[in-house]
Amino acid sequence: MPFIDFILPERAATRPLIIIIKDAHIADMKFTPALSFGLAGLALAACSPTETAPQAGGAAAGCMTRAYDTIGGPIDLLAHTGERVTEATFKGKPTLIYFGFTFCPDICPGTLVAVNRAYEALPETIEPPQTLLITVDPERDTPEALAQYVSTAAFPDNLIGLTGTEEEIAAAADAFIAQYERIETPDSLAEYTMDHTSLLYLMDEDWQLKTFFAEADADPDYIAGCLAQHIG
């Protein structure tokens, strides 16, 4: 089973929570270095979700107060269809973005299933946002591999897989302050796995962050309610 490291900004009331997924089956885990936002250092702590993200006014208020201008930026990647895309490709409609990888054993598929269920729970008058899976494992996640993965029936119908070179993936991850790290697992068939930030980012029509969802928020009804408030 995975466990989660919470990276907590010092000024937690005004800065977002960053979550790194770890695989508890891996021995001698390496801890991904804490991010720096330039204004304040970040502290690494292991604690429960109830001790982390500020929720002044309740969950709905938290959903509506996560628009950080330090998160989000340009991308230049390759879609699972073989088409080159940038952020301009997706402007004009809201977009939900997730960083993950196809060999991810449970967190990634579980999150995508939760997103699909959230879309199903939206009012009929609200169109689900465009949905992007940006791989953190470009070595294995070719367009062909992503095409097969995103066609999973339990995932959103509009899910688009994005890959690229190591440099292109790193640039996209940096823009979204998404961390990832390759962990060698020589005794497994996969040979390695990826630690990565597990957040869903909701971008508006102008590719500006509206809110984000942590893994602890991955309740379909909660996501649906938040999406309805932002794009309804």
Side-chain angles (χ1 to χ4, degrees):
M1 292 294 293
F3 64 92
I4 300 174
D5 283 343
F6 294 86
I7 298 182
L8 299 176
E10 291 178 356
R11 299 176 62 186
T14 58
R15 293 208 175 276
L17 166 71
I18 305 300
I19 296 178
I20 307 298
I21 300 302
K22 298 285 187 179
D23 187 340
H25 295 295
I26 301 172
D28 301 322
M29 290 300 304
K30 293 186 290 182
F31 286 85
T32 307
L35 288 171
S36 171
F37 283 88
L39 299 178
L42 301 182
L44 184 63
C47 47
S48 66
T50 56
E51 298 174 312
T52 56
Q55 296 292 329
C63 164
M64 299 301 290
T65 57
R66 296 175 176 175
Y68 302 97
D69 57 12
T70 52
I71 299 178
I75 61 171
D76 187 356
L77 299 169
L78 183 65
H80 72 263
T81 59
E83 174 188 7
R84 292 296 304 188
V85 299
T86 68
E87 71 281 2
T89 308
F90 305 104
K91 285 185 176 182
K93 293 183 179 181
T95 304
L96 193 69
I97 301 170
Y98 185 69
F99 287 82
F101 63 113
T102 63
F103 275 66
C104 184
D106 44 25
I107 295 296
C108 303
T111 299
L112 293 172
V113 168
V115 169
N116 188 45
R117 290 175 177 167
Y119 290 174
E120 292 173 347
L122 287 172
E124 292 184 1
T125 56
I126 298 180
E127 181 181 357
Q130 304 171 103
T131 314
L132 308 181
L133 169 64
I134 301 178
T135 184
V136 295
D137 184 15
E139 179 177 329
R140 291 185 295 207
D141 288 346
T142 63
E144 294 78 14
L146 283 170
Q148 181 176 2
Y149 188 74
V150 301
S151 66
T152 301
F155 293 171
D157 291 338
N158 65 349
L159 182 60
I160 298 173
L162 300 180
T163 188
T165 64
E166 293 280 357
E167 294 76 17
E168 290 167 343
I169 295 298
D174 286 347
F176 284 84
I177 316 182
Q179 294 183 301
Y180 62 96
E181 180 182 18
R182 174 169 168 154
I183 303 297
E184 301 298 329
T185 58
D187 295 332
S188 72
L189 292 176
E191 297 183 349
Y192 69 90
T193 188
M194 304 295 295
D195 288 348
H196 63 93
T197 301
S198 185
L199 293 177
L200 290 160
Y201 306 85
L202 179 64
M203 311 300 285
D204 67 11
E205 295 86 347
D206 297 317
W207 200 255
Q208 299 298 310
L209 183 75
K210 295 294 289 182
T211 192
F212 65 86
F213 304 97
E215 199 258 335
D217 298 326
D219 173 73
D221 291 335
Y222 173 78
I223 294 174
C226 186
L227 290 176
Q229 291 182 73
H230 279 289
I231 65 180

